[in-house]
Amino acid sequence: MQRHPFRVLLTGAALAALAGCGGNTVGNQLPPNRTVPQYQQIERLSRPAVKEAFEAFANHDQTNRSSPTNDGALQTAIQTFLGPPAAGGVANRSSAISNFIVSVLIPDEMKVDLSQTVAGCGPPNAPCAAYLGVETGGATGSKFGGRWLNDDTIKTSLGIIFGNTVPALGGAPDDGNESWCLSDDNLSNGEGTFQSYGNTFPYVNQPY
Amino acid sequence: MKGNPVRIVGGMTLALVAGALLLYGAHPVRGSDHQDSPTTVNRPAADITDVFAYQAPHNPNNVVLQMDVWPLITHSQLGMVALDPAVMYQFKIDNTGDGVEDLVIQLQPTTAGTGQSINVYGPGKPNETGTYSSFIPQTGSVAFNDRSGTPLSNGMKVFVGPTKDPFFFDLLTFFNIIPDRYYGCHAPFTNAFGVPCGGATASSFNGFTSAFNQQHSTSCSLTPASDTLSSHQFNVIAIVVEVPKSLLLNPAHPVMGVWATTSTTSGS
């Protein structure tokens, strides 16, 4: 995998993310004297497979009922999962890699840069976003970020967690602890059933 | 394959619910966020499976926000599944970088069933931030499964309807590697998919090549990889909202954060 000169951008993103998750305890308080129906959150999702990869099923409900700035359970789960087996971890990554991943994933929001235009978007089946594009300074395809319908987010995520994506992007030194057999589910090598997408609203396909 | 004791609320007819329950419970797998808590397993129309955000293919001045709900819909279920009128569906947008929603887009169907109309609210400033919400002024409404994309008064286009699940992942191998991620390994749900619920029974994803193993001095699995969702031809209900960027853009902070939520007045 090639190295990319995005250390400064990534460090900036990490610092911004860390700043965003510090100290802000957004209210889960029921506003007083409301006369309109109050709805309570039961599910929350942004980036794909973050809860699934890092958090045991039993803890999902707590995360689902929290805000991006108030989801300590998810942050703890990410840090634990990325740590050594002796501490209950799975991935056995270095502190530097773990801290970098946490800084990118917390708070859990999908980042989209509305000042950017996705080059090449328009013809049928052309990508119109790039998962983690903002956080990686465009290394995943464009600085627009977001998530396109065919983005292989699992390949990207597994590469970050178990492969050498973070060192290759300059996010942290290589720790030599890659778990190569977990670094890709290999559905982008021709085994997966990728859909074709048109360029007219609503873009999604008819059902099976 | 055994079904699970799933309960659905939302005003469907008994026969409709029975059919949906049987089919829903018969495919207990999770994907990006498919079936990820007891609450969402019991209320599949509030179960968000994926979130997407992309530039509108036909117009670079628009951005498309999409949330998919109700995992694992089979072809035979298509006439029976729609959004849940007890649920508020919400896109939340942070355009100041503090992790707190500054704008929301809300949707709620007026009735149950595929003949439903869906009211659309916003984008606008939320009445509350955090995990409690109430509706902001309405923008318009759309019919379920109307693909015409007729713009609302603020220029937004909205589609709500069934689509092929876009998500792909070798789920079954993942569950064999980390079994506690599989909801069938947690009471009161049954292990209907044959996934072992003790320790890991796999240590490798599939689909690797001899060249890869040689490069990394590994013995990763050469068995062909497979995608559960597309190979079983599962569908979801997509909520697709195309919005002029100008309605969401904060020029002083053009990077926005997006997440999706579902909420009920009962919290269940």
Side-chain angles (χ1 to χ4, degrees):
Chain A
M1 186 176 288
Q2 289 183 311
R3 288 193 172 273
H4 300 273
F6 296 117
R7 185 184 299 272
V8 174
L9 282 168
L10 288 165
T11 304
L15 290 172
L18 283 171
C21 68
N24 191 336
T25 53
V26 175
N28 298 331
Q29 302 298 314
L30 189 64
N33 304 320
R34 296 291 305 186
T35 56
V36 296
Q38 287 291 327
Y39 286 79
Q40 303 174 47
Q41 183 178 307
I42 60 173
E43 163 77 307
R44 172 168 65 92
L45 185 66
S46 183
R47 295 187 179 101
V50 172
K51 271 181 288 181
E52 274 51 46
F54 294 111
E55 201 170 52
F57 175 82
N59 297 330
H60 287 186
D61 196 55
Q62 180 182 352
T63 296
N64 282 340
R65 295 174 186 275
S66 67
S67 297
T69 52
N70 191 25
D71 56 0
L74 181 60
Q75 180 169 345
T76 300
I78 295 172
Q79 287 170 319
T80 300
F81 185 93
L82 293 170
V90 174
N92 198 28
R93 304 315 303 257
S94 68
S95 296
I97 289 179
S98 296
N99 291 339
F100 175 80
I101 294 173
V102 169
S103 72
V104 169
L105 296 184
I106 300 292
D108 186 18
E109 298 180 354
M110 187 175 295
K111 298 283 198 303
V112 181
D113 189 342
L114 294 176
S115 70
Q116 300 290 326
T117 299
V118 183
C121 169
N125 227 25
C128 289
Y131 181 56
L132 296 180
V134 172
E135 295 88 338
T136 62
T140 56
S142 83
K143 294 180 180 178
F144 178 86
R147 180 185 176 189
W148 172 238
L149 294 161
N150 257 345
D151 275 354
D152 194 345
T153 57
I154 295 300
K155 182 185 185 72
T156 301
S157 300
L158 292 174
I160 290 170
I161 297 167
F162 294 110
N164 67 343
T165 302
V166 172
L169 291 173
D174 195 341
D175 60 4
N177 288 343
E178 289 85 358
S179 300
W180 292 112
C181 297
L182 304 178
S183 64
D184 195 345
D185 72 344
N186 294 308
L187 291 180
S188 57
N189 297 336
E191 296 88 346
T193 306
F194 289 84
Q195 297 180 38
S196 295
Y197 292 99
N199 60 355
T200 56
F201 187 86
Y203 314 113
V204 295
N205 287 314
Q206 293 284 354
Y208 289 108
Chain B
M1 192 177 294
K2 296 177 182 176
N4 283 319
V6 184
R7 177 178 59 85
I8 295 178
V9 292
M12 296 179 173
T13 67
L14 185 59
L16 187 158
V17 170
L21 288 182
L22 179 64
L23 290 163
Y24 186 72
H27 300 288
V29 295
R30 288 184 291 118
S32 175
D33 199 61
H34 300 56
Q35 300 179 310
D36 87 317
S37 77
T39 303
T40 56
V41 169
N42 289 342
R43 193 186 280 275
D47 189 351
I48 306 170
T49 63
D50 280 288
V51 175
F52 299 89
Y54 47 94
Q55 180 176 298
H58 72 100
N59 185 349
N61 294 318
N62 289 355
V63 62
V64 180
L65 307 181
Q66 177 179 334
M67 78 168 93
D68 293 344
V69 299
W70 200 316
L72 314 178
I73 300 169
T74 63
H75 179 77
S76 61
Q77 283 180 279
L78 287 177
M80 302 185 291
V81 295
L83 295 188
D84 184 340
V87 175
M88 171 196 278
Y89 299 85
Q90 204 162 190
F91 293 100
K92 296 194 169 189
I93 296 113
D94 163 25
N95 66 8
T96 55
D98 61 0
V100 180
E101 64 269 37
D102 302 289
L103 297 169
V104 293
I105 298 171
Q106 304 166 328
L107 303 97
Q108 188 175 49
T110 55
T111 60
T114 55
Q116 66 188 193
S117 173
I118 297 100
N119 289 337
V120 182
Y121 308 80
K125 188 177 187 305
N127 297 324
E128 307 87 12
T129 59
T131 57
Y132 282 90
S133 299
S134 58
F135 284 104
I136 63 175
Q138 185 175 348
T139 305
S141 63
V142 296
F144 184 80
N145 207 18
D146 177 0
R147 288 179 165 258
S148 66
T150 303
L152 304 181
S153 59
N154 63 358
M156 280 199 326
K157 300 176 184 176
V158 178
F159 167 76
V160 178
T163 182
K164 295 176 183 175
D165 191 340
F167 186 66
F168 47 93
F169 184 23
D170 187 352
L171 278 169
L172 294 185
T173 302
F174 175 68
F175 290 143
N176 287 333
I177 295 169
I178 310 179
D180 77 353
R181 268 47 176 177
Y182 174 55
Y183 95 99
C185 293
H186 298 270
F189 305 108
T190 56
N191 186 352
F193 217 74
V195 174
C197 293
T201 59
S203 57
S204 172
F205 280 107
N206 294 319
F208 290 97
T209 63
S210 298
F212 182 93
N213 280 333
Q214 189 170 12
Q215 178 186 355
H216 296 291
S217 301
T218 53
S219 54
C220 306
S221 171
L222 305 178
T223 302
S226 64
D227 170 32
T228 305
L229 298 172
S230 59
S231 63
H232 285 77
Q233 300 197 330
F234 287 126
N235 302 298
V236 291
I237 296 175
I239 301 173
V240 182
V241 178
E242 180 172 332
V243 192
K245 285 182 178 178
S246 58
L247 296 181
L248 306 180
L249 176 65
N250 172 7
H253 194 278
V255 175
M256 68 173 186
V258 180
W259 64 103
T261 65
T262 54
S263 307
T264 63
T265 55
S266 66
S268 60

